[in-house]
Amino acid sequence: MSRTTGAPSFAVIPGAQVHEVLDGRAPEVVGLIESAYRVHGEGGTVNPPSYFLRFPDRPTSRIIALPASIGGAAPVDGVKWISSFPENVAAGIPRASAVLILNDPATGYPLACLESSIISAARTAASAALAADRLSPAGRRPRRIGFLGVGLIARFIHQYLAGTGWEFDEIGVHDLSAEHADGFADYLTRSGEQGPVTVHDSAEKLIRGSDLVVFATVAGTPHVTEPEWFGHNPLVLHVSLRDLSPEVILSGFNVVDDVEHCLKADTSPHLAEQLTGSRDFVDGTLYDVLSGQLSVPEDKPVFFSPFGLGVLDLAVGRHVYDTLRERGDLAVVEDFFHEMRRYG
């Protein structure tokens, strides 16, 4: 993305192209996410707070802007604009929709607009798969997994775990909607899972029966409040961020992606900070684990709570853009930038 000469080009990248570039490439995408975390941990990013657009007449819905800039070997600036409208599910369409704008770091001109719900799901799943691998005891990946909340993100996390070599003896499923739980169980069977898939009628049964727990709900406030449910010391991918009470959070070993980002907006770790008046319960970041600065104990439940960083979306979006550009498959909008002469 060097400085352009003449009028810059602008491309529109639809979801079909994003899917084609990323599908079946879980190890590659996990590698991109690990590199982005390392650049971020080494201070090579700008990742300001996310901006939440909320609606008094639609309190369950929101649209979030995630501006960011990432350096390193593949620098790019940009912003993700992602909506969450839970009522969409009842209408038969996904809860979330998103676009990603990439900007040339040399000129500031927008380079592309990408359909980004797939990018967002892929980077979330890749982050979860990376964390699951690095936070598991050395050489002993958990083999009993439970999914609490079974939407698109849960499906992508399963795909990325399977795509990076995870195998499971047992899979548990729980969702407030019996229809959705059954649908996800059917997906798991069709995906080729050989072990039994059990639909649990309570979160407690799922948690107690799982050594790796994935929270991927749309919960706005904590609904899991009993620390003893985690007495067997599972690894918990707390992707949806607001499921666990402060008491549960405080009972375990806590790893986040970014302390400042995660401890805000009434996430479970934020509530724990408000309860205790301190951040001492946060043991470190995923970068600390990747860089060998933090060791993970085996005698506590381990909670990974990722807020989700805009730099991760940029890393994946930049990869999609570069792949299509190198193949000559970019759909360029001719003359998108019209006023290119200062005085006409």
Side-chain angles (χ1 to χ4, degrees):
M1 293 186 180
S2 59
R3 180 175 294 276
T4 56
T5 57
S9 63
F10 182 79
V12 175
I13 302 176
Q17 284 189 307
V18 175
H19 173 77
E20 187 271 327
V21 171
L22 299 180
D23 187 43
R25 294 174 174 83
E28 183 177 8
V29 179
V30 171
L32 288 171
I33 294 304
E34 179 173 354
S35 295
Y37 274 129
R38 291 183 181 276
V39 172
H40 182 67
E42 293 161 5
T45 66
V46 180
N47 206 107
S50 303
Y51 297 89
F52 288 73
L53 177 62
R54 299 186 184 276
F55 314 97
D57 60 329
R58 291 159 285 163
T60 64
S61 300
R62 64 179 187 258
I63 309 179
I64 311 172
L66 288 81
S69 174
I70 185 169
V76 67
D77 310 326
V79 61
K80 179 171 75 169
W81 182 239
I82 181 166
S83 68
S84 174
F85 280 53
E87 283 73 18
N88 285 351
V89 176
I93 60 176
R95 169 187 61 85
S97 59
V99 294
L100 177 69
I101 301 294
L102 301 181
N103 292 75
D104 183 348
T107 68
Y109 272 85
L111 294 164
C113 175
L114 298 83
E115 195 286 328
S116 198
S117 65
I118 296 171
I119 289 173
S120 187
R123 67 85 150 145
T124 300
S127 169
L130 175 65
D133 181 63
R134 299 308 176 91
L135 298 176
S136 294
R140 292 191 287 114
R141 285 179 167 181
R143 297 188 66 88
R144 299 187 304 164
I145 187 172
F147 290 91
L148 206 156
V150 293
L152 178 72
I153 296 300
R155 174 163 64 85
F156 266 73
I157 290 174
H158 172 260
Q159 290 175 346
Y160 270 71
L161 289 171
T164 51
W166 286 70
E167 297 179 348
F168 302 107
D169 296 330
E170 302 175 26
I171 301 181
V173 176
H174 176 68
D175 194 276
L176 293 179
S177 166
E179 178 185 358
H180 296 163
D182 289 340
F184 191 72
D186 179 63
Y187 150 74
L188 291 169
T189 301
R190 288 186 287 106
S191 74
E193 288 290 349
Q194 299 299 309
V197 177
T198 303
V199 176
H200 293 281
D201 59 10
S202 73
E204 178 180 3
K205 290 179 181 178
L206 179 136
I207 292 167
R208 289 185 182 275
S210 303
D211 301 312
L212 174 60
V213 183
V214 179
F215 282 92
T217 75
V218 294
T221 56
H223 56 97
V224 174
T225 61
E226 304 298 331
E228 57 266 27
W229 293 2
F230 302 86
H232 56 300
N233 302 329
L235 170 57
V236 180
L237 304 178
H238 186 210
V239 175
S240 40
L241 280 179
R242 294 173 176 84
D243 303 272
L244 305 177
S245 72
E247 292 78 12
V248 172
I249 289 289
L250 295 172
S251 72
F253 185 84
N254 285 279
V255 179
V256 300
D257 54 356
D258 183 283
V259 176
E260 291 297 329
H261 283 78
C262 193
L263 272 68
K264 63 178 55 174
D266 289 335
T267 64
S268 295
H270 187 206
L271 296 179
E273 179 190 26
Q274 294 175 50
L275 178 65
T276 63
S278 169
R279 296 181 171 184
D280 291 346
F281 66 91
V282 178
D283 294 283
T285 67
L286 184 57
Y287 172 73
D288 295 332
V289 177
L290 295 174
S291 59
Q293 301 175 56
L294 182 67
S295 298
V296 181
E298 297 185 33
D299 59 351
K300 291 183 177 181
V302 177
F303 301 116
F304 176 59
S305 300
F307 190 80
L309 302 175
V311 294
L312 305 183
D313 298 276
L314 290 185
V316 177
R318 163 77 194 256
H319 170 71
V320 171
Y321 176 88
D322 285 347
T323 299
L324 295 172
R325 183 183 61 174
E326 291 166 5
R327 295 192 328 207
D329 289 339
L330 282 178
V332 174
V333 180
E334 299 295 340
D335 299 321
F336 184 82
F337 301 105
H338 179 62
E339 287 288 351
M340 296 303 296
R341 295 183 180 180
R342 186 169 187 176
Y343 300 110

